[in-house]
Amino acid sequence: MDLLDEKIEVVNVSISNGAGEMNEDITFSFDDNKSIKIFENAIKSAVEHDSEINKTKPDYDVMVNYGEGFPVHAIHLWLGAENEQSTLMYLVGEGQTYITSSKYTNQLRELLLQEQ
């Protein structure tokens, strides 16, 4: 998956209401470098993979914010179980799905589940 070559200011995450829409009622905001890097690495390393998961409700909506003047990357996240892959999909796109490694799933789980 691709992101802009700009500094990410904050990653906002909400509980998803379903594929095709972005829940703007933010549940978590991550603005520290370590957390941002986890999201950035998970997204950038995700590889395209055919999946029927987009017929199910995503777990989270992820909004990657670069600051004023730049678009927000809106991404659906199906968070995998521990040591499993997660699935990502751009909100705007043709429905392609991308998978992360289990390493990034574990890091994302640590961020998102410790906050609840």
Side-chain angles (χ1 to χ4, degrees):
M1 294 183 85
D2 293 319
L3 293 173
L4 296 180
D5 290 331
E6 299 295 328
K7 181 181 185 312
I8 297 171
E9 289 190 357
V10 64
V11 176
N12 292 316
V13 180
S14 58
I15 305 300
S16 185
N17 290 330
E21 64 179 275
M22 190 64 40
N23 179 4
E24 294 185 28
D25 184 16
I26 306 303
T27 308
F28 313 112
S29 260
F30 300 96
D31 60 3
D32 63 285
N33 287 334
K34 182 180 178 194
S35 298
I36 288 172
K37 208 61 164 160
I38 290 171
F39 279 99
E40 185 176 19
N41 290 338
I43 293 166
K44 284 184 170 181
S45 69
V47 295
E48 191 167 350
H49 183 269
D50 289 335
S51 170
E52 293 297 314
I53 199 164
N54 60 358
K55 291 185 171 47
T56 64
K57 182 180 161 198
D59 298 305
Y60 298 99
D61 296 332
V62 177
M63 292 151 270
V64 179
N65 295 278
Y66 303 95
E68 222 171 293
F70 294 102
V72 172
H73 266 111
I75 299 169
H76 292 309
L77 168 64
W78 288 263
L79 187 62
E82 190 173 343
N83 298 318
E84 292 185 358
Q85 298 170 326
S86 292
T87 303
L88 302 165
M89 182 178 81
Y90 292 114
L91 173 67
V92 177
E94 306 207 7
Q96 302 96 327
T97 54
Y98 301 80
I99 57 169
T100 67
S101 69
S102 59
K103 168 187 163 184
Y104 289 121
T105 292
N106 292 344
Q107 291 176 358
L108 290 169
R109 289 179 62 80
E110 189 175 312
L111 279 178
L112 296 169
L113 301 179
Q114 79 177 357
E115 294 290 327
Q116 291 183 349

